[in-house]
Amino acid sequence: MAVPRSKTSKAVTKGRRNVNMHLDTPHLVACGNCGNLVLSHHVCKKCGFYKGRQVITPEVNG
């Protein structure tokens, strides 16, 4: 069985793990109806359209 020659420091261990532990920016696309930026494959909250058709009626905040 393999045995490490010395202890791996906390900085080395955490540095190796943190390489892949970062947040990605959300992928935003323009709505086909109003041009508002929305997440892809999601209903536009501003106009309520998805794939060119009205799915929900948007709430008026005012």
Side-chain angles (χ1 to χ4, degrees), residues 1 4 14 17-18 22 29 33-34 37 40 46 49 52 57-58:
M1 186 167 92
K14 290 179 181 180
R17 291 178 181 166
N18 285 332
H22 56 82
V29 295
N33 188 48
C34 66
L37 290 178
S40 60
K46 187 175 179 184
F49 272 72
T57 55

Side-chain angles (χ1 to χ4, degrees), residues 18 20-21:
N18 285 332
N20 297 316
M21 298 290 287

Side-chain angles (χ1 to χ4, degrees), residues 36-49:
N36 188 35
L37 290 178
V38 294
L39 290 170
S40 60
H41 300 85
H42 284 71
V43 178
C44 179
K45 292 180 181 178
K46 187 175 179 184
C47 65
F49 272 72

Side-chain angles (χ1 to χ4, degrees), residues 7 9 16-17 25 27 31 35-36 46-47 56-57 60 62:
K7 179 181 175 180
S9 69
R16 182 180 63 245
R17 291 178 181 166
T25 56
H27 299 283
C31 173
N36 188 35
K46 187 175 179 184
C47 65
I56 60 169
T57 55
V60 177

